[in-house]
Amino acid sequence: MSKTELASGGSGRAALGEEIVARINQLAAISETPEHLARIFLSSEHRAAADLILSWMREAGMAAHLDAIGNVCGRYEGENAGLPCLMLGSHYDTVRDAGKWDGPLGLLSAISCVADLNRRGRRLPFAVEVVGFADEEGVRFASTLLGSRAVAGTFVESALNARDRDGVSMREAMVKFGLDPEHIGAAARARRELHAYVELHIEQGPVLEQKDLAVGVVTAIAGATRLAARLTGMAGHAGTVPMAMRRDALAGAAECIGMVEEFCKTDEAGLVGTVGYIDAMPGATNVIPGMVSFTLDIRAPSDPHRKMAVADIVRRIEAIAKRRDLVLQLDVTHENRTVPCAPWLKAQVADAVAAEGFGVFELPSGAGHDGMAMIDVADVAMIFVRCRGGISHNPAEHVETADADAGARVLLRLVENFRPREASSPSSSRP
Ligand code: GLV
Ligand code: MN
Ligand code: MN
C-alpha cells in the first residue's frame, strides 16, 4: 500500500487497519519454524523481528533503538524536544504454536498511530513513545514480563541465572544475542519521564464478540502465580517392578494435574488453573518414569482468593507426593498481583471509544500483560480489541481488519486528546 493511499482513508484519516494487518502478517513470517509460529526471547527470530520493527518505527518518524534487554523503543518528539511521554506498547515475543495477534496488534497499532501523526505533521504537547517488549510470555526462562520489568526498573538480577530447556542461562543467551547482562539497568525509565502507559491488545476471550463490540475498556489485569514442580521417584523396569512397589513420578504428576483441574472447576470465584508443560524422564515406553517436571499457572480475579487457592493446591501436591513416596521440589517462578487500570486514564480511553462512535463497555483482563510490570513506573490503561471466538494462544487466533482499524482509531483518538493526569479534570471523567 502506498503512503498516498494510506493518507486518504474514508474519513480523511489513514486506513490504519490495513497497514496493521499487512505488518501482522509480515511479522508472523519470522518464526522458529514456518508451520508453528514461535518467536522466543533472545533467539535469532527475536533479532530479525526487532530489526523489522525498528525500521517501521523510523519510517513512522520516530528515533528508534534496541534497549539493554532487547526491547524495541521508538520516540516521537512533542512540540518541544525532551518532553515527558505517553508510552504505548505491547510485546513481540510469542508462545509456541502461537497466534499472530497476541502482542503485535498493540505494538503495530501504536506504530501506525504515530505514523499517522507524522504524516499530518502533528506534534503534541508531550512525546509519544512506543515500546515493543522482548519477553512478555516467559516461554524461554519461565519467568514472564522480563522486557517490561527492565523498563519499569524491577528486573531482578537473579533472573539472569535462569536456564532454558537446553541448559542455556539468560546471561549466556544475552551475550550471544549481543547484549550486556551487566547493563540491563540502562533500560529502566524514571516515573517523571512517563505520563502514562497505554496498551492495546486482543481480548483473548469471548466477551466482546458476545456483546457485538469491536473494542472494550479494560478495568484491571488479573493477578497470576506460576510454579515449577519436580517429582522424583525411582526409574525401573516396566515389566518387573510390581505395582505396589513403584515410585512412579509420572503417575504422581497425573494425580496432581487431575487434582488441580478438579480444585479449580469446583471453585465459584473465577479461579483458573493450568498445567501447560510436562516432561517425563527418562521417557521410554518400558521404563517407569523416575522424574517428572511440570508447570502450574493459577489465576483469579481476587488476589487473596488466588493466594489461598495456591496455598491449598500446594498442600495437596505435598500430600500426593508424600503418599506416593516421591520427593517434591516446588518453586514459585512468577507472581503478579492484580493491577487496576488508573481511573483517570481509563476515563480517557472510554471517552476515545465513545468519540469513535462505539459503545463504552468495561471488562477485566484474565490474561497477563506488560501493564502488570509497567504499573511500577506509570499509571496504566488498556484497550481490548475483539478476536474471533475469543481464541488466543492458538494459531486460530484472528482479528478482522475492521476491528484492527477500530482499535487503532480509538488509540489514535486517545493519543490526540490525551491530557496528563495533572491536567485531566475529574468532571470530564467517567466513574
Ligand atoms: C500471557 O499471555 C499470559 O496471560 O499468560
Ligand atoms: Mn500471550
Ligand atoms: Mn499478550
Side-chain angles (χ1 to χ4, degrees):
M1 189 184 313
S2 76
K3 284 185 187 167
T4 337
E5 276 170 315
L6 266 174
S8 60
S11 61
R13 184 161 271 175
L16 300 172
E18 285 172 26
E19 176 178 66
I20 293 162
V21 172
R23 287 178 172 178
I24 288 273
N25 288 324
Q26 254 182 287
L27 202 55
I30 304 176
S31 170
E32 199 174 280
T33 56
E35 315 82 46
H36 305 286
L37 174 57
R39 212 165 34 247
I40 308 299
F41 184 43
L42 301 176
S43 62
S44 55
E45 293 76 36
H46 172 179
R47 163 70 66 183
D51 288 344
L52 184 59
I53 297 163
L54 287 169
S55 75
W56 289 332
M57 285 177 159
R58 292 182 184 122
E59 195 184 309
M62 287 183 262
H65 70 281
L66 194 71
D67 78 4
I69 194 153
N71 298 321
V72 284
C73 307
R75 182 175 165 93
Y76 183 71
E77 292 291 352
E79 287 159 355
N80 303 304
L83 292 168
C85 72
L86 170 60
M87 186 177 277
L88 312 175
S90 196
H91 58 101
Y92 67 105
D93 66 321
T94 69
V95 292
R96 292 194 179 278
D97 204 14
K100 56 192 174 187
W101 306 85
D102 171 6
L105 181 66
L107 172 58
L108 300 178
S109 298
I111 294 173
S112 287
C113 286
V114 173
D116 189 273
L117 295 175
N118 189 46
R119 277 192 292 273
R120 288 183 284 127
R122 180 113 160 81
R123 295 283 166 181
L124 299 163
F126 49 88
V128 180
E129 293 196 18
V130 179
V131 182
F133 295 108
D135 174 89
E136 184 265 6
E137 302 284 8
V139 169
R140 185 162 183 184
F141 296 107
S143 100
T144 67
L145 302 170
L146 295 171
S148 39
R149 283 192 209 285
V151 172
T154 57
F155 183 91
V156 183
E157 216 186 300
S158 59
L160 288 168
N161 301 324
R163 290 188 181 271
D164 68 11
R165 287 177 198 175
D166 298 323
V168 179
S169 72
M170 193 188 309
R171 192 184 301 278
E172 290 158 357
M174 283 191 75
V175 171
K176 184 159 178 241
F177 189 89
L179 294 167
D180 182 351
E182 305 311 317
H183 284 94
I184 289 182
R189 303 297 299 271
R191 186 167 278 273
R192 66 174 181 286
E193 297 176 296
L194 272 68
H195 285 304
Y197 172 74
V198 178
E199 177 165 351
L200 177 149
H201 201 284
I202 61 166
E203 182 202 340
Q204 304 182 276
V207 177
L208 290 176
E209 192 173 75
Q210 217 173 54
K211 297 273 174 196
D212 197 20
L213 289 169
V215 291
V217 181
V218 177
T219 52
I221 309 169
T225 305
R226 290 184 182 184
L227 301 111
R230 192 167 72 194
L231 288 170
T232 308
M234 180 78 177
H237 199 293
T240 59
V241 185
M243 295 308 286
M245 294 176 70
R246 296 185 179 205
R247 294 170 61 217
D248 183 332
L250 185 51
E255 191 179 340
C256 295
I257 295 166
M259 175 275 294
V260 169
E261 187 188 37
E262 202 48 40
F263 186 92
C264 296
K265 258 179 158 170
T266 50
D267 178 87
E268 286 174 1
L271 184 74
V272 286
T274 306
V275 174
Y277 171 79
I278 181 159
D279 183 36
M281 294 281 288
T285 313
N286 59 348
V287 183
I288 299 162
M291 191 166 84
V292 170
S293 303
F294 62 96
T295 58
L296 269 167
D297 180 310
I298 312 283
R299 309 186 195 201
S302 137
D303 285 339
H305 185 58
R306 172 176 47 85
K307 284 183 182 163
M308 271 170 49
V310 168
D312 205 339
I313 286 170
V314 166
R315 274 195 297 275
R316 287 164 192 247
I317 292 177
E318 284 167 349
I320 292 169
K322 190 161 177 226
R323 178 164 37 78
R324 289 174 167 271
D325 195 16
L326 302 170
V327 178
L328 171 68
Q329 187 183 328
L330 201 53
D331 298 307
V332 175
T333 54
H334 166 87
E335 171 110 51
N336 240 120
R337 65 200 182 280
T338 295
V339 166
C341 292
W344 70 272
L345 196 54
K346 183 163 67 79
Q348 293 192 32
V349 173
D351 287 345
V353 168
E356 285 298 328
F358 300 106
V360 175
F361 176 73
E362 295 193 351
L363 72 171
S365 172
H369 298 288
D370 289 296
M372 295 173 109
M374 291 302 292
I375 192 78
D376 286 320
V377 72
D379 283 350
V380 166
M382 289 191 74
I383 301 164
F384 267 174
V385 175
R386 165 171 61 190
C387 60
R388 190 168 62 200
I391 297 168
S392 184
H393 284 189
N394 184 311
E397 210 176 64
H398 180 74
V399 173
E400 295 297 332
T401 304
D403 289 353
D405 194 65
R409 279 192 285 125
V410 168
L411 185 63
L412 183 56
R413 176 78 72 154
L414 173 81
V415 171
E416 290 202 73
N417 291 352
F418 176 73
R419 302 170 304 286
R421 183 177 194 168
E422 318 76 76
S424 66
S425 102
S427 61
S428 72
S429 300
R430 287 157 200 276

